[in-house]
Amino acid sequence: MTMDGGRRAVAAEGSEAVAALVADVGPRYRTATEFVEATLRQGILSGRLSGGTPLRQEELARLFNVSRMPVREALRQLEAQALIDFVPHKGAVVTDISAEDAADNYAIRRALEPAALTLSIPHLDAQDFARAEELITEMDAETEPGRMGELNRRFHMSLYARAGRPRLLALTEQQLASADRYVRFHLAAKGQEHMAQEDHLAMLAAARQRDAARAVAVLLGHLDTAAVTIDAFFRERAG
Amino acid sequence: MTMDGGRRAVAAEGSEAVAALVADVGPRYRTATEFVEATLRQGILSGRLSGGTPLRQEELARLFNVSRMPVREALRQLEAQALIDFVPHKGAVVTDISAEDAADNYAIRRALEPAALTLSIPHLDAQDFARAEELITEMDAETEPGRMGELNRRFHMSLYARAGRPRLLALTEQQLASADRYVRFHLAAKGQEHMAQEDHLAMLAAARQRDAARAVAVLLGHLDTAAVTIDAFFRERAG
DNA sequence: CACTTGTCGATTGGATCCAATTTAGCAATA
DNA sequence: TATTGCTAAATTGGATCCAATCGACAAGTG
């Protein structure tokens, strides 16, 4: 079997959401496990596989055109990332998202991102600032919500990149990606997004002046605004 | 291979007694994968499997008396927890620990634990305080370094337990467990440990008074002391 | 009628076999 | 001698097969 990324045959019938995911894979993967894991994670984080969706090993194997084994290994990794619930002898289910989960995610981001930003600011250089600025202008031009989320994530990470703490950054990036789940869930119902570009500009300006305290203050306000918006959406949806 | 020792509860009268019997069979695992994963993680975090150790699938399968498949699934999970490095077609190696990794770990703890503590303090009750105090006295009596690390971890977690953010707590616990790797590495060379019981007592006292700011200040000092000690050890060892 | 028991189908867990990849060793050559 | 290329052994990746477990529903029991 070749991991040519493109155009693995897709079974005719079956879960249409997964089939759509398989249809447009970009990069090439060295192992089938990598391929399945990356594709499923993308699907979950992007919201195309919504919370509660059961993931049957045999069905996935058929859709991905591999055997059940790489599927199982991929599911194990997703379980360790808390993206699916794996119950012995019962199977895997995409983890549900709730107001509590969103609050949890924001609590973690509130803790990690100020730390990353503070460590990073002294070491950012002109190139970093230029890249961050470029990402802001790209966001201004972007209309598609999917791409928008990625740009936002990259902007945040660009300001944290010089923290010199790879594990801290990896955790932060993971939580940023998780946050997208909630934002997209909100978008799917509300239609459009308020990207708070003033906050982004203010953060960048503070970083340029090496004013970590101000940058962190803006960041926390930025996170709180998003948290309140998402929380309100969940409450309104429940009530 | 049966993971429950072949004992299965027979529903009958006296189900109370039967339940007790089943309960005291001890930590039994439902699947071989769980068993392998937990054992390996324990081994890595406790330092018995030191950084750089290659983990050959076949060898592990033989040692655990299972086939290679549950070993592979366990390795996948450990990879997602950053406890091993997994390179396609090359194999798995226990991740190395270094001064940089220790600093990374402390940076994360410095971010997460104050958040957890602050969220938790308002909701701690008398029972929680009593348990925390008990853990401190247990630490005073404990001499074995392995048990000591666990008691320390449980003390910290007992103060964070009411944060009401399960994901945040799970991450925190994971990082606390990782920290043990560095502490034990240090202990193995230095012989004994300074558990900073004054810090623990001060944290507990501040928590009792619902003084989150002071508790966090003590905690940060506590973490910094440990970070400096470990970092000095790594430097001395390298230089 | 409530409650247990047994059986069957669906699904996952685990074992074994085969294929693909890496690596080390060795030989040939410049 | 250093380097390149090739072959074989070791090791991992993937496929297929069988066993164990769970859920639901039917049947028996008090």
Side-chain angles (χ1 to χ4, degrees):
Chain A
M1 107 147 36
T2 72
M3 219 58 52
D4 60 27
R7 327 322 167 231
R8 280 163 174 276
V10 178
E13 21 75 33
S15 165
E16 54 289 341
V18 178
L21 283 174
V22 177
D24 58 353
V25 278
R28 320 211 119 80
Y29 300 96
R30 283 175 302 180
T31 66
T33 300
E34 277 183 12
F35 166 62
V36 174
E37 194 254 345
T39 307
L40 284 180
R41 179 169 52 211
Q42 181 75 7
I44 295 172
L45 292 177
S46 73
R48 287 198 283 184
L49 293 174
S50 54
T53 304
L55 299 174
R56 307 258 165 248
Q57 296 177 7
E58 194 131 12
E59 182 184 4
L60 293 176
R62 202 180 61 239
L63 293 169
F64 284 111
N65 220 20
V66 298
S67 80
R68 267 178 51 214
M69 162 129 16
V71 171
R72 280 162 63 173
E73 291 191 42
L75 292 179
R76 286 293 177 190
Q77 289 181 290
L78 295 173
E79 183 201 17
Q81 295 164 34
L83 293 179
I84 65 174
D85 292 329
F86 206 116
V87 181
H89 293 108
K90 286 196 58 177
V93 179
V94 178
T95 52
D96 253 316
I97 61 181
S98 64
E100 287 72 32
D101 291 327
D104 213 325
N105 175 256
Y106 277 107
I108 296 171
R109 289 184 61 194
R110 260 189 79 94
L112 294 180
E113 296 194 35
L117 182 58
T118 303
L119 287 169
S120 177
I121 278 186
H123 306 105
L124 290 168
D125 58 29
Q127 218 170 23
D128 297 321
F129 294 131
R131 262 187 56 76
E133 193 162 1
E134 190 182 342
L135 285 165
I136 292 180
T137 63
E138 277 187 60
M139 272 191 265
D140 279 330
E142 186 62 59
T143 59
E144 197 208 324
R147 290 272 311 157
M148 181 70 102
E150 192 196 327
L151 290 174
N152 178 56
R153 213 161 55 222
R154 281 169 56 195
F155 168 75
H156 277 255
M157 290 307 297
S158 74
L159 292 184
Y160 311 150
R162 303 291 175 197
R165 298 277 180 263
R167 282 287 297 152
L168 172 64
L169 288 189
L171 269 184
T172 302
E173 189 155 28
Q174 200 173 313
Q175 296 301 319
L176 269 168
S178 280
D180 267 10
R181 283 190 79 185
Y182 308 105
V183 173
R184 298 207 201 201
F185 191 57
H186 174 242
L187 283 184
K190 286 295 186 178
Q192 58 126 29
E193 181 168 20
H194 175 237
M195 234 332 146
Q197 291 284 53
E198 321 85 62
D199 287 348
H200 290 158
L201 287 168
M203 276 175 63
L204 176 55
R208 273 207 162 101
Q209 293 164 17
R210 313 291 177 187
D211 188 343
R214 191 155 66 84
V216 165
V218 175
L219 170 60
L220 288 177
H222 180 63
L223 291 177
D224 288 343
T225 308
V228 167
T229 304
I230 298 291
D231 190 65
F233 169 65
F234 269 105
R235 285 187 196 291
E236 156 190 337
R237 188 165 157 279
Chain B
M1 155 175 226
T2 74
M3 223 58 53
D4 62 353
R7 236 152 302 183
R8 219 151 151 80
V10 184
E13 61 278 312
S15 61
E16 195 96 358
V18 176
L21 273 179
V22 174
D24 112 322
V25 185
R28 235 78 210 190
Y29 299 96
R30 283 176 301 180
T31 66
T33 299
E34 278 182 12
F35 167 61
V36 174
E37 195 254 346
T39 308
L40 283 180
R41 181 170 49 211
Q42 182 75 6
I44 294 172
L45 293 176
S46 73
R48 287 194 290 183
L49 292 173
S50 56
T53 305
L55 300 174
R56 308 253 165 255
Q57 297 177 6
E58 194 131 11
E59 183 184 358
L60 293 176
R62 204 181 58 239
L63 291 172
F64 284 112
N65 246 327
V66 297
S67 80
R68 268 178 52 215
M69 162 128 21
V71 172
R72 280 162 65 173
E73 291 191 49
L75 291 178
R76 287 291 177 193
Q77 289 181 290
L78 295 173
E79 183 202 16
Q81 295 164 33
L83 293 179
I84 65 174
D85 292 330
F86 207 115
V87 181
H89 293 108
K90 286 195 57 177
V93 179
V94 178
T95 52
D96 252 318
I97 60 179
S98 63
E100 287 73 33
D101 291 327
D104 214 326
N105 176 255
Y106 276 108
I108 296 170
R109 290 183 61 191
R110 260 188 79 94
L112 294 181
E113 296 194 34
L117 182 57
T118 302
L119 287 169
S120 177
I121 278 186
H123 307 105
L124 289 168
D125 58 30
Q127 217 169 24
D128 297 321
F129 294 130
R131 263 189 58 75
E133 192 161 2
E134 191 183 340
L135 285 166
I136 291 181
T137 63
E138 277 188 59
M139 272 191 266
D140 279 329
E142 185 62 59
T143 58
E144 196 207 326
R147 291 272 311 157
M148 182 69 103
E150 192 196 326
L151 289 174
N152 177 57
R153 215 161 55 222
R154 282 169 57 196
F155 168 75
H156 277 256
M157 289 307 298
S158 75
L159 292 184
Y160 311 150
R162 303 292 176 196
R165 297 277 180 264
R167 282 287 296 152
L168 171 64
L169 288 190
L171 269 183
T172 302
E173 188 156 29
Q174 199 173 316
Q175 295 302 319
L176 269 168
S178 280
D180 267 9
R181 282 189 80 186
Y182 308 104
V183 173
R184 297 208 200 196
F185 191 57
H186 173 242
L187 283 185
K190 286 295 186 181
Q192 61 130 31
E193 182 168 19
H194 174 239
M195 235 332 145
Q197 291 283 54
E198 320 87 60
D199 287 348
H200 290 158
L201 287 168
M203 276 175 63
L204 175 57
R208 273 208 162 100
Q209 293 164 17
R210 314 289 179 188
D211 187 343
R214 191 155 67 85
V216 165
V218 174
L219 171 60
L220 288 177
H222 181 62
L223 291 177
D224 288 343
T225 309
V228 166
T229 304
I230 298 291
D231 190 66
F233 170 65
F234 270 105
R235 285 186 196 290
E236 156 190 338
R237 190 165 156 279

